Amino acid sequence: MTRVPRLRPGFRFQWEPVQDSHVLLYPEGMVKLNTSASAILAEVDGHRPVADIIARLEQNFPDAGELTDDVCEFLRDAQQKHWIELQ
Amino acid sequence: MNDVARPGHPSHTVGPPLWLLAELTYRCPLQCPYCSNPLDFADQSDELTTEEWVSVLRQGRAMGAAQLGFSGGEPLVRQDLPELIAEARHLGYYSNLITSGIGLTEQKVRAFREAGLDHIQVSFQASDPELNNAVAGSRKAFDQKLAMARAVKDAGYPMVLNFVIHRHNIHQMTDIISLCERLEADYVELATCQYYGWAFRNREGLMPSAAQLEQAEREVNDYRGQLAQSGSAMKLIFVTPDYYEIRPKACMNGWGSMFLTVAPDGTALPCHSARLLPIEFPNTRQMALKSIWYESPGFNHYRGDSWMPEPCRSCDEKGKDFGGCRCQAYLLTGNADNADPVCDKSPHHDRILAARRAADHATAGLEDLTYRNTRNSRLFFRS
């Protein structure tokens, strides 16, 4: 919970109007992200620890309820895909 | 359902060109015999100006292109590259520089980074200087590549190393991957030759035998296992030659579906090889990129599936592989409409089998290959 996720070097998260979605860009690759993945990655800035990210998301999406499990699962998955590093 | 976009009647099912490949120049200091540039490149010295490239980049971005490749030839020979990189970053592209590393310096690596370049891919020809330099046709290439790979890493770029694999270096797989590990590469592309351009001309001298390929696959898989065990994030991408498949590749993910190449002279193409097809392709100097992508006969030529003859027409896999590669169909059968002969349902599949047999018995050395240089290129367009 105190660990700080950040995008790996060479990864960029950005909004693509034509695709009407956020994408993750990396060397010669692009992943179109769904709404929840986008909401989480938007909070990953290389400074905020996991606990803060969860708190902010729960504040921004009060109807979504407890988000700890979902966020941790996504971050684990993103780490396994080598999109992010946890420091 | 008929989802074919007919010339002049753009179909709403045609998606945006998400990938733009800017082939800035055909000029290159190296002479790799598997170059994908046209054989007659020396006859095509005309290049878009900086302003014309900027216009192409702007139009592409407005249409939704997000990935941008600067390639060639050797893109570094374009003096306006820093300007184009800065424009690409300003527009919001993810920009990739595909380079041999020749002409690169540590200063340039850093300056490009500051201008907003996202990624530099350095290509190698082999894991040792002798073979590397023999394939590249340059005596100093290997040391320069090593130095530049290190500079790329030091500047904080993700490191992608590319090795084109063929029968003369396929035995080096373990050495190649080990070199990449020492250089701390993030991605390693082990790309066996695709037989277009100069590589098609040199196919017999480049194509690995089935036994060589099997051995290489074993070595790559073993190494993958080791990397996984050590927790390494280095990703190995091994592209095996489609000549050893029985179903064709979904070339470019479908004709005119997401890839757009602009050649040095502004000719717009659905892939960098399509220039060899007997189809007229539009030029960005004469037509807006949007019209080129959605309306031009060249780009609509092989969209959808109504153009397909048998066996593709009635095949239940046509939505998966789109009949394979049009360039390969043309090179091997003389008619680009035909099924890609890689498919074992193709009546021309025997041509693939013959190439495999030839690879089992090939004896040609590196010195027998036709190297990609201006002198050899002139011979092609004169004849």
Side-chain angles (χ1 to χ4, degrees):
Chain A
M1 281 298 172
T2 57
R3 297 178 79 189
V4 177
R6 66 159 195 201
L7 288 178
R8 280 186 70 216
F11 283 74
R12 198 204 295 165
F13 170 76
Q14 75 181 27
W15 172 254
E16 283 298 302
V18 174
Q19 297 181 62
D20 194 27
S21 67
H22 281 95
V23 298
L24 195 59
L25 293 156
Y26 52 94
E28 293 173 60
M30 170 161 53
V31 182
K32 192 170 168 171
L33 299 163
N34 63 27
T35 322
S36 50
S38 307
I40 299 170
L41 281 181
E43 301 296 335
V44 171
D45 64 356
H47 300 290
R48 274 183 210 120
V50 176
D52 285 15
I53 290 173
I54 295 168
R56 284 172 63 97
L57 288 167
E58 287 179 347
Q59 198 179 1
N60 294 342
F61 302 94
D63 299 340
E66 236 283 320
L67 291 175
T68 304
D69 289 352
D70 291 346
V71 174
C72 289
E73 192 190 330
F74 172 81
L75 291 177
R76 243 192 327 271
D77 192 36
Q79 189 187 16
Q80 267 166 16
K81 288 183 173 133
H82 301 298
W83 295 353
I84 62 164
E85 292 167 338
L86 282 163
Q87 303 238 297
Chain B
M1 193 181 89
N2 184 356
D3 63 355
V4 179
R6 297 198 174 282
H9 299 277
S11 159
H12 63 274
T13 60
V14 176
L18 298 175
W19 296 63
L20 177 61
L21 182 68
E23 286 189 321
L24 298 179
T25 179
Y26 286 140
R27 290 174 287 158
C28 185
L30 298 188
Q31 310 181 40
C32 306
Y34 44 72
C35 182
S36 62
N37 285 168
L39 291 171
D40 63 353
F41 74 88
D43 194 27
Q44 302 175 18
S45 53
D46 184 24
E47 293 181 6
L48 293 186
T49 63
T50 309
E51 293 68 35
E52 286 168 328
W53 274 119
V54 166
S55 166
V56 167
L57 299 187
R58 285 184 184 155
Q59 294 178 66
R61 184 66 189 134
M63 290 163 69
Q67 281 282 355
L68 172 66
F70 289 119
S71 113
E74 173 49 67
L76 289 168
V77 305
R78 285 282 301 214
Q79 298 303 307
D80 55 359
L81 186 57
E83 205 175 327
L84 297 176
I85 289 171
E87 180 67 22
R89 182 67 195 96
H90 168 71
L91 292 168
Y93 279 107
Y94 190 95
S95 57
N96 307 272
L97 175 63
I98 321 283
T99 176
S100 67
I102 308 302
L104 201 55
T105 61
E106 283 177 37
Q107 290 82 347
K108 281 186 191 172
V109 167
R110 281 197 300 271
F112 293 164
R113 186 81 180 144
E114 279 155 29
L117 183 66
D118 291 288
H119 152 227
I120 300 180
Q121 179 195 291
V122 181
S123 64
F124 279 77
Q125 282 74 23
S127 63
D128 69 275
E130 290 74 28
L131 183 56
N132 185 91
N133 296 349
V135 174
S138 158
R139 266 177 292 170
K140 289 176 286 185
F142 189 72
D143 289 343
Q144 164 73 5
K145 282 164 186 285
L146 276 187
M148 287 309 110
R150 293 193 180 105
V152 164
K153 188 78 189 175
D154 289 344
Y157 292 96
M159 189 198 273
V160 182
L161 299 180
N162 173 280
F163 287 77
V164 176
I165 305 297
H166 44 75
R167 61 181 302 117
H168 304 287
N169 66 2
I170 196 165
H171 63 283
Q172 293 191 327
M173 224 45 127
T174 304
D175 291 341
I176 287 173
I177 304 170
S178 156
L179 172 68
C180 295
E181 217 186 349
R182 286 200 302 281
L183 291 169
E184 299 176 72
D186 298 294
Y187 304 83
V188 180
E189 290 177 6
L190 305 161
T192 40
C193 279
Q194 307 254 358
Y195 303 105
Y196 307 99
W198 294 77
F200 184 73
R201 168 86 195 173
N202 286 312
R203 190 185 67 195
E204 272 197 42
L206 291 170
M207 188 164 147
S209 68
Q212 280 185 306
L213 186 65
E214 241 168 72
Q215 169 73 19
E217 281 184 309
R218 253 198 315 274
E219 286 180 30
V220 172
N221 285 334
D222 287 351
Y223 219 116
R224 267 202 194 110
Q226 286 176 38
L227 290 171
Q229 259 185 353
S230 67
S232 166
M234 188 168 93
K235 198 172 168 198
L236 299 180
I237 303 147
F238 186 23
V239 185
T240 54
D242 59 353
Y243 272 60
Y244 285 98
E245 303 289 341
I246 54 167
R247 285 291 174 273
K249 57 184 177 251
C251 199
M252 309 316 284
N253 210 32
W255 178 277
S257 85
M258 55 171 70
F259 290 92
L260 170 59
T261 297
V262 178
D265 67 352
T267 303
L269 303 163
C271 83
H272 59 274
S273 292
R275 196 165 202 149
L276 62 86
L277 297 173
I279 292 175
E280 204 177 314
F281 289 106
N283 191 297
T284 56
R285 279 174 169 154
Q286 277 106 43
M287 206 189 268
L289 210 55
K290 200 168 180 179
S291 308
I292 286 175
W293 180 256
Y294 290 103
E295 290 161 23
S296 72
F299 273 79
N300 281 319
H301 204 100
Y302 289 118
R303 281 187 174 134
D305 58 19
S306 72
W307 55 271
M308 286 180 182
E310 292 295 351
C312 295
R313 180 179 286 275
S314 60
C315 180
D316 60 4
E317 292 174 75
K318 67 181 171 186
K320 202 165 96 186
D321 58 37
F322 319 109
C325 170
R326 298 304 89 224
C327 299
Q328 195 143 277
Y330 180 70
L331 285 170
L332 292 174
T333 77
N335 181 351
D337 295 357
N338 283 332
D340 185 333
V342 160
C343 186
D344 67 358
K345 295 180 188 175
S346 156
H348 303 100
H349 187 59
D350 59 315
R351 292 170 200 188
I352 294 288
L353 300 179
R356 285 189 211 167
R357 280 193 301 275
D360 279 338
H361 301 104
T363 52
L366 282 174
E367 65 284 1
D368 300 314
L369 299 173
T370 305
Y371 282 76
R372 179 247 195 240
N373 55 41
T374 307
R375 196 186 61 234
N376 284 333
S377 177
R378 292 224 162 98
L379 293 177
F380 287 117
F381 73 81
R382 278 198 200 121
S383 61

